Amino acid sequence: MQDPVALLEAMLRIPSVSGDEAALAQFLVAQLCDLGFHGFVDDAGNAVGVVGYGAEVVLLGHIDTVPGVVPVRITDGRLYGRGAVDAKGPYATFIMAVARLIASDALDRRYVVIGAVEEEAASSRGAHHAAACYQPVACVIGEPSGWDQLTLGYKGRLLIDATWHQPGAHTAGPTPAVAERAVAYWCAVREHCSAWNASAGSALFDQLLPTLRQINTSSDGLTDQVTATIGIR
């Protein structure tokens, strides 16, 4: 498949929610081999293409997506679909860029193009596996940062999964509801981040960015429970 748009459209039509990327990985391996790469699925499930010799450069993208169906279509010259931007598009770009070097016999180094799995999951399984397998002189990561921009750094992420239990209590009584305990914890986290950010500078990259991802309460009639997920970048 020599047309970049056709390649990306085909990729978008193969669902690949985190943890279920096998069908897309197999498709990509077939395309990589047709384009002149040595293509294979590695032990983590990543789609990998290798070509060339000498100093090694890794072009790392990810092929998984978050859930949700975005109908694949081309409208006003723009291709839409789940993962078109984040990040099947960047990975397709890596493939086709190196394919052009292959076709023009202009390879001057060893290229490894990796379509990683589980990037949208907390595991980052594909990237962790790749980091242990390669020692490139350079690694370019394909993520949405604008077609004409280069991102120079990534913020890490901390996820907090918290659960509180307490005996069931009547709402007319003095005992605070269990949900209030989670809200109080969230407020404490947010206040801590605000205090840190006061001396961290104005750049978002230098700041702690907390988000309350979810909060859920339940009760069996005897015990009240609340669970919450907080993310910090």
Side-chain angles (χ1 to χ4, degrees), residues 87-105:
K88 295 181 181 182
Y91 186 55
T93 300
F94 285 158
I95 293 173
M96 298 311 299
V98 179
R100 289 184 179 181
L101 295 178
I102 297 172
S104 61
D105 197 25

Side-chain angles (χ1 to χ4, degrees), residues 125-147:
R125 179 185 179 192
H128 283 302
H129 180 80
C133 292
Y134 303 98
Q135 294 183 322
V137 296
C139 176
V140 181
I141 299 175
E143 279 283 339
S145 58
W147 69 270

